[in-house]
Amino acid sequence: MRSLCADIFLVEDLANNKLKTMDGLQCLTKLRKIDLGANRIRVMDSEQLAPLVNLEELWLGKNKIEEISGLTTLTKLRRLDVQSNRLTKVENLAAVADTLEELYLSSNGIDSEGAVLPTGLAEQFKLLNVLDLSKNRLTHANDFGHLTTLEELWL
């Protein structure tokens, strides 16, 4: 992949390629939205994501990701899409609990226990209004009552 660092982007669409890694993103510090969906990415690389402090939307659907990670510095993130991956639990969302508005987790292997881990959906999200957990392995929805800002809950 050629280096993207020579160009300045506010939006980058790298969907539907055969990317296996997120290499080459770290210099795109002004980036607000990136679509890396429908690739072969297995890891949300914190080294590549950390410099993207202006990122508001991260689209990673239809990859091979097993764990949500690398979001620590993404304190402006409003939309996160990790649907159709290999997730079994929702975690590592504490850094985005104050800004996240939409979270798409459909078509994974998340069960009821994995959905409400302390750093995951048990967080007190301030702005979360859309949560998509459809097509997972949930057996109940008892643990989502604290998400009082939700306007849409897809189960």
Side-chain angles (χ1 to χ4, degrees), residues 35-142:
D35 186 347
L36 291 161
N39 280 293
R40 297 176 182 169
I41 298 169
R42 293 182 182 273
V43 177
M44 294 174 65
D45 188 337
S46 59
E47 186 176 316
Q48 298 296 318
L49 290 172
L52 307 181
V53 295
N54 291 302
L55 203 62
E56 296 176 10
E57 299 184 28
L58 178 57
W59 299 87
L60 289 164
K62 296 183 181 176
N63 277 289
K64 299 178 178 187
I65 296 167
E66 296 180 4
E67 177 184 25
I68 297 172
S69 61
L71 304 178
T72 308
T73 62
L74 305 184
T75 57
K76 295 183 181 179
L77 197 66
R78 296 182 304 116
R79 286 184 189 88
L80 176 61
D81 177 345
V82 282
Q83 62 186 335
S84 298
N85 275 285
R86 297 178 177 173
L87 300 175
T88 57
K89 54 190 173 185
V90 184
E91 60 187 341
N92 301 321
L93 296 176
V96 296
D98 290 342
T99 59
L100 204 61
E101 296 173 16
E102 298 177 16
L103 180 56
Y104 301 98
L105 297 162
S106 68
S107 301
N108 279 289
I110 302 165
D111 61 17
S112 293
E113 185 178 308
V116 290
L117 296 174
T119 63
L121 292 175
E123 287 284 343
Q124 293 296 321
F125 291 91
K126 293 183 178 180
L127 302 173
L128 190 65
N129 59 59
V130 176
L131 175 59
D132 182 358
L133 278 163
S134 59
K135 298 181 183 173
N136 275 289
R137 297 181 177 160
L138 301 177
T139 55
H140 60 82
N142 300 340

